Amino acid sequence: AQTVTQSQPEMSVQEAETVTLSCTYDTSENNYYLFWYKQPPSRQMILVIRQEAYKQQNATENRFSVNFQKAAKSFSLKISDSQLGDTAMYFCAFVNYGGSQGNLIFGKGTKLSVKP
Amino acid sequence: NAGVTQTPKFQVLKTGQSMTLQCAQDMNHNSMYWYRQDPGMGLRLIYYSASEGTTDKGEVPNGYNVSRLNKREFSLRLESAAPSQTSVYFCASSDFDRGRGTFYEQYFGPGTRLTVT
């Protein structure tokens, strides 16, 4: 079974500090993509960052970066210089492109609160 | 570009009523998806359509039907609503080419909050 586990249901961080959200996944495939999506109170799903499994270099997008450990099947998200607007649910997800039709497998999410 | 649009945004149904959730995308994507989001459960796939004219079941298809009307539109129908179908429903689309091993991000609609009483 393909699964995604986010072990931190809720986290909080002070504004301007750094926080890391954890994600582990389980798949027998070798080729896949990993994503972090953000869902603010507006409910809109917003892509934060993506990582191709064949790339060893960790992806970065401005204040957001990942630590991708393929052998450990770990994909954590680091948010630097946290801002109030980062308050949201964060979902880790992956998709196999070998045997699937492109549907995402989601974790249950981590609720992040950024405090002033 | 409007991206992915969904109607309605909110709906309240009584048990046994039927309704159709509409979804349209203007990005010329081949693949479209319907997910439901329940508290503490993340998003789960209900049905998907890899291309125009094809549909397949996802993880939680019971109680739902879908229609890929054309490349742009993918509707989700509840024939006889049940309280267990109270949820937030998301439509998404993407370009996915298994032959070339390429996958592009899924774009999501704003969601429909459905309550069945």
Side-chain angles (χ1 to χ4, degrees), chain A residues 37 39 44 50 101-102, chain B residues 33 37 48 98 103 106 108:
Chain A
Y37 277 87
Q39 187 180 42
Q44 182 70 47
R50 60 179 278 165
Q101 295 294 341
Chain B
Y33 310 86
Q37 182 180 24
Y48 62 94
R98 189 195 296 176
F103 177 81
Q106 283 194 10
F108 285 82

Side-chain angles (χ1 to χ4, degrees), chain B residues 1 20 28 45 51 53-55 58-59 77 81 84 94-95 101-102 117:
Chain B
N1 283 356
T20 300
N28 203 36
L45 183 69
S51 61
T54 68
T55 61
E59 181 185 353
R77 182 161 178 84
S84 61
S94 74
D95 260 340
T102 55
T117 61

Side-chain angles (χ1 to χ4, degrees), chain A residues 56-83:
Chain A
Q56 291 186 336
Q57 187 173 5
N58 289 325
T60 62
E61 286 288 342
N62 300 313
R63 297 183 295 108
F64 298 89
S65 62
V66 298
N67 183 5
F68 173 48
Q69 302 288 329
K70 190 173 184 179
K73 295 182 180 176
S74 171
F75 183 60
S76 61
L77 174 70
K78 186 171 84 170
I79 306 174
S80 303
D81 186 25
S82 297
Q83 300 175 0

